[in-house]
Amino acid sequence: MKKVPTKPDCGPSTLSVHGGEPRPKDGNAVATPIMQTATYTFANTEEIVDHFEGRITREEYGRYGNPTQRIAEHKLAALEGAQEAALFASGMAAITTTLFAMLSRGAHVVVTDDAYRRTRQFLHQALRRYGVEVSTVPAGDYERMEEAVRQTTRLIFSESPTNPYNRILDLEQVAAIGSRHRVKTVIDSTFATPINQRPLEFGIDLVIHSATKYLGGHNDLMAGVVLGSAELVGAIRDFEGVTGAVPDPLGTYLLIRGIKTLALRVTRQNENAQRLAEFLEGHPKVERVHYPGLRSHPEHAIATRQMRGFGGVVSFEVCGDLAAASRLIDACRIPLIAPSLGGVESLIEQPALMSFYELSTEERLQVGIKDALVRYSVGIEDADDLIADLRQALAQV
């Protein structure tokens, strides 16, 4: 089989539709077939030897790979501009396996304070039990980031944009710090997608996505991916074969199908989110809007420089308290109240209730979560309808 003739300089829609896919496919199918199998047969014992000695490339057992999975990985690598991609059963599986594969007892990690909550929780709680040391630094404070690096530092880990406040890291600065100290840099780019941002182009070593979100795009699958050089991703893939955090063939097929429309969906979500953010910023019952497409955003200039679009998540603070934000959410008619993000349907949530419910108001404030904060994951509906819906909901706050 030959790869589809797409080049790295092809447009995002061309890469979304064709990137990384072989021609012809099995059975001369247009759609990628689902290889629903757990194991693979060998013609004879000689083929087994040829496989393990690297003379032929083929699958062996489902925990080490699947043809449908391989096509999804090639497709994602083409979109991200990476040498290689490794697909996982979830975004957190991609994160935890990467950290397990790259860290050992006595190693040190620098993480930003606005990185995904579960990532920080895994670093501070799980990995510390195994002798991994962690330093947390403020997002955007590159002097503190560099000062935190030690001789034992192995990774600098962050997100951009961050969840839920849409902070934007200067990827070139992060990469430069890593390069100066020979420390690997990892960016969770889930909020951006490869359509809006490609961190590898700025010198970042590894990129992670929760493919459950924008890449799948329809809230019907769970997957994660880590992308980068063949050497780094290969080592992580080897560890995945031990942990077994592998995706299933059907979910992988749905991911490939979802990626076909990625550029179209993200472009629409960028446009919708920008309009919602501008509407919210001008509303008297909204105290603050956190969206990198607004000039008021503290890292707007950085986002403009390194992103092609500003994403589909708009976070904002309602004037009032926890109850005021709850009234707004309950009054909305179009977005569904649910966790997650990135699908074609708009979703809305109150982080103080959805993700941080077990914490007191004081404890939430310590980690930066305000009671009146609302996170709106903008879908592909008509922007005029979404704005009209928010207007009537805000009238009830």
Side-chain angles (χ1 to χ4, degrees):
M1 288 188 179
K2 65 179 181 178
K3 295 282 180 64
V4 67
T6 50
K7 300 177 181 178
D9 59 352
C10 284
S13 281
T14 303
L15 285 174
S16 295
V17 174
H18 297 292
E21 296 199 48
R23 289 184 177 177
K25 298 185 179 76
D26 288 339
N28 295 307
V30 172
T32 296
I34 306 171
M35 294 296 181
Q36 193 69 47
T37 183
T39 191
Y40 306 86
T41 63
F42 289 82
N44 49 51
T45 54
E46 182 180 1
E47 189 175 3
I48 299 174
V49 175
D50 288 342
H51 165 61
F52 282 111
E53 293 189 359
R55 286 188 289 273
I56 60 173
T57 301
R58 51 153 295 152
E59 305 296 350
E60 172 200 350
Y61 182 60
R63 198 169 70 246
Y64 308 125
N66 174 285
T68 312
Q69 173 186 340
R70 297 294 182 222
I71 291 174
E73 290 171 340
H74 293 321
K75 196 169 193 65
L76 289 164
L79 275 167
E80 196 67 65
Q83 287 183 352
E84 193 166 339
L87 202 61
F88 293 82
S90 69
M92 278 308 299
I95 290 169
T96 56
T97 305
T98 296
L99 294 172
F100 270 134
M102 301 186 72
L103 300 171
S104 58
R105 187 175 188 84
H108 175 248
V109 181
V110 177
V111 63
T112 56
D113 61 356
D114 207 10
Y116 178 50
R117 175 195 178 210
R118 293 299 187 187
T119 300
R120 288 182 284 119
Q121 186 178 51
F122 180 73
L123 284 166
H124 286 286
Q125 296 181 13
L127 288 188
R128 273 188 168 159
R129 292 167 49 203
Y130 299 100
V132 173
E133 298 181 313
V134 183
S135 294
T136 303
V137 299
D141 191 333
Y142 306 102
E143 185 175 337
R144 289 275 298 278
M145 180 181 287
E146 188 150 20
E147 288 174 351
V149 175
R150 311 172 186 172
Q151 286 188 340
T152 55
T153 306
R154 297 292 176 264
L155 289 179
I156 297 173
F157 195 112
S158 188
E159 274 182 278
S160 189
T162 64
N163 179 15
Y165 283 109
N166 273 316
R167 296 295 304 276
I168 306 296
L169 266 70
D170 187 323
L171 298 178
E172 287 184 340
Q173 284 206 58
V174 176
I177 293 170
S179 179
R180 280 195 294 272
H181 298 277
R182 297 184 178 180
V183 172
K184 300 301 181 187
T185 51
V186 185
I187 291 292
D188 182 336
S189 193
T190 297
F191 267 40
T193 80
I195 305 303
N196 287 336
Q197 171 182 276
R198 303 213 298 184
L200 300 177
E201 295 176 350
F202 297 91
I204 298 298
D205 294 298
L206 288 170
V207 178
I208 291 176
H209 293 276
S210 172
T212 308
K213 313 300 193 298
Y214 289 99
L215 299 179
H218 294 80
N219 292 312
D220 59 1
L221 66 91
M222 296 191 72
V225 63
V226 57
L227 306 104
S229 69
E231 179 182 7
L232 284 177
V233 176
I236 296 166
R237 188 194 300 281
D238 288 344
F239 204 88
E240 180 186 20
V242 176
T243 62
V246 296
D248 70 281
L250 176 59
T252 304
Y253 161 81
L254 291 173
L255 175 59
I256 294 169
R257 188 174 67 169
I259 292 171
K260 300 280 189 179
T261 58
L262 178 65
L264 291 173
R265 289 187 284 104
V266 170
T267 298
R268 178 60 173 261
Q269 286 163 315
N270 289 341
E271 295 167 353
N272 282 356
Q274 183 71 36
R275 288 193 58 191
L276 260 67
E278 291 172 359
F279 163 75
L280 288 164
E281 190 171 47
H283 199 284
K285 291 187 178 180
V286 175
E287 185 172 326
R288 187 176 179 185
V289 182
H290 305 273
Y291 187 69
L294 298 176
R295 293 184 181 276
S296 58
H297 190 281
E299 290 101 21
H300 175 71
I302 298 172
T304 301
R305 186 174 71 245
Q306 70 187 25
M307 299 180 74
R308 292 184 287 268
F310 302 115
V313 173
V314 179
S315 294
F316 59 99
E317 297 166 36
V318 178
C319 294
D321 54 10
L322 185 78
S326 294
R327 286 197 298 274
L328 166 77
I329 289 172
D330 290 341
C332 285
R333 297 166 181 164
I334 295 178
L336 305 167
I337 303 173
S340 198
L341 55 110
V344 293
E345 305 92 351
S346 289
L347 303 179
I348 195 167
E349 65 154 283
Q350 195 170 353
L353 295 182
M354 186 69 75
S355 302
F356 297 87
Y357 182 78
E358 73 278 9
L359 303 182
S360 66
T361 296
E362 292 72 23
E363 290 171 326
R364 288 195 293 266
L365 287 173
Q366 287 177 4
V367 294
I369 301 299
K370 299 180 181 179
D371 282 352
L373 178 68
V374 175
R375 192 187 74 179
Y376 196 124
S377 172
V378 184
I380 64 168
E381 301 95 343
D382 292 294
D384 288 342
D385 294 335
L386 298 178
I387 290 170
D389 183 44
L390 271 175
R391 182 179 289 110
Q392 66 82 25
L394 282 163
Q396 302 179 52
V397 172

